[in-house]
Amino acid sequence: MLSETASLVFWVIAFVTIISAIFVVSLRNIFHSALFLVLCLFSVAGVFVLLDAEFLAGVQVLIYVGGVAILMIFAVMLTSRMTNSEVRQQNEQKALGALVAFSFLLIVTGAILKTMSVKGGFGLSPSPSVTISTPHAIGRLLLTNFVLPFELVSVLLLVALIGAVVLAKKDGD
Amino acid sequence: MQVGLIHFLALSAVLFCIGMYGALTRRNAIGVLMSIELMFNAVNINFIAFAKFINPAAITGQVFAVFVITVAAAEATVGLAIVLLIYRNFREIFVDRVNLMKW
């Protein structure tokens, strides 16, 4: 359980997150969507802070806001011919998509509530107030227990780097 | 009302479903990629909430979130490169009009 103040902060952040996420998927102008994506990613970083994951909040701001969102905005600007015109931004499956997403939400909520109602459902820790230095602990885990996934992810990043260069360069260069 | 694990799970479920709706209905390929980023973020909230509320001493969930963020960055890079390539070749970024491999 979070403290009273943290709970209040949580409601504000959750509100901002969900409203900006709705704007991301529904706005006509894709550039405005990208700006709301930045807001949404920032508020998710706030959620990480509430969950005592300060290192991940920093990583979120650096990689998502500083990297991925800026990359999206670049791509939007490079393809701006498509965004300024008054063309439809959503396909004809709007109602079907909403139905699928809403039923998925119902299923997940049902699963969460059912697990909660079972005795000891999620196996909650009795004292969730242990504070540890997260960058130190994450670094230690990455180089001991998770060293194989860590190396695989570095290879994946290299592949993505080379792949992006190969895809984006002009033919004959 | 005090906030516990269930509230974070609910936030994450709502965020995931909004992202899913966007990925299903957007015509613009960049919009689809943005919706997918929303879904990645929902998954990360889940990982970190479980890491905090179930076993706060072992932060395995946070390590998983680091991996998810890395893979999401790689996915965004290659995805946007492909989108730009499609735009260069077809002058088109609406996914329902790029149907060269459909029969």
Side-chain angles (χ1 to χ4, degrees):
Chain A
M1 291 290 156
L2 269 62
S3 68
E4 284 292 339
T5 331
S7 299
L8 196 67
V9 176
F10 170 80
W11 288 115
V12 175
I13 290 182
F15 181 75
V16 174
T17 310
I18 289 174
I19 294 296
S20 53
I22 288 174
F23 279 140
V24 169
V25 297
S26 63
L27 282 185
R28 268 190 97 77
N29 188 331
I30 194 84
F31 186 73
H32 293 169
S33 295
L35 294 182
F36 274 105
L37 180 72
V38 171
L39 178 63
C40 184
L41 297 174
F42 259 119
S43 41
V44 171
V47 175
F48 290 174
V49 172
L50 283 181
L51 287 167
D52 294 334
E54 296 86 3
F55 174 70
L56 276 165
V59 167
Q60 170 90 2
V61 172
L62 279 178
I63 294 184
Y64 268 112
V65 182
V68 174
I70 299 301
L71 211 60
M72 297 279 178
I73 290 176
F74 260 123
V76 169
M77 285 174 165
L78 286 174
T79 58
S80 59
R81 193 176 62 88
M82 313 305 298
T83 55
N84 291 335
S85 52
E86 282 299 310
V87 287
R88 247 175 350 118
Q89 288 291 333
Q90 290 180 319
N91 57 21
E92 57 280 353
Q93 309 173 36
K94 213 168 156 182
L96 194 64
L99 183 71
V100 169
F102 188 70
S103 28
F104 187 77
L105 179 65
L106 286 186
I107 293 171
V108 173
T109 319
I112 293 172
L113 291 178
K114 197 160 167 55
T115 318
M116 274 287 176
S117 64
V118 178
K119 192 171 180 297
F122 282 113
L124 288 182
S125 156
S127 60
S129 54
V130 188
T131 46
I132 41 178
S133 144
T134 52
H136 181 92
I138 289 177
R140 181 168 288 277
L141 273 181
L142 277 181
L143 288 178
T144 52
N145 290 3
F146 294 95
V147 67
L148 185 64
F150 179 70
E151 295 296 336
L152 281 179
V153 157
S154 20
V155 174
L156 177 77
L157 277 182
L158 183 67
V159 170
L161 187 70
I162 297 174
V165 170
V166 169
L167 283 175
K169 80 173 169 60
K170 290 218 165 57
D171 288 337
D173 280 2
Chain B
M1 188 169 153
Q2 289 220 313
V3 170
L5 173 63
I6 190 166
H7 298 88
F8 286 99
L9 295 186
L11 170 67
S12 151
V14 171
L15 196 59
F16 190 89
C17 291
I18 294 174
M20 189 187 228
Y21 170 75
L24 288 175
T25 57
R26 275 275 181 200
R27 289 179 74 211
N28 192 323
I30 301 171
V32 175
L33 283 177
M34 292 201 287
S35 312
I36 292 174
E37 298 300 330
L38 288 184
M39 289 158 83
F40 275 125
N41 273 283
V43 172
N44 274 343
I45 292 178
N46 252 0
F47 271 132
I48 297 175
F50 279 126
K52 176 178 163 62
F53 285 100
I54 288 183
N55 192 353
I59 50 166
T60 321
Q62 297 197 19
V63 179
F64 267 85
V66 171
F67 288 133
V68 172
I69 290 177
T70 322
V71 174
E75 174 262 338
T77 327
V78 178
L80 285 174
I82 292 175
V83 169
L84 288 182
L85 197 65
I86 289 174
Y87 180 70
R88 196 188 294 148
N89 286 338
F90 299 112
R91 292 277 138 201
E92 190 61 74
I93 53 168
F94 288 137
V95 283
D96 51 356
R97 280 197 222 139
V98 182
N99 51 8
L100 194 69
M101 292 176 76
K102 237 179 182 176
W103 53 280

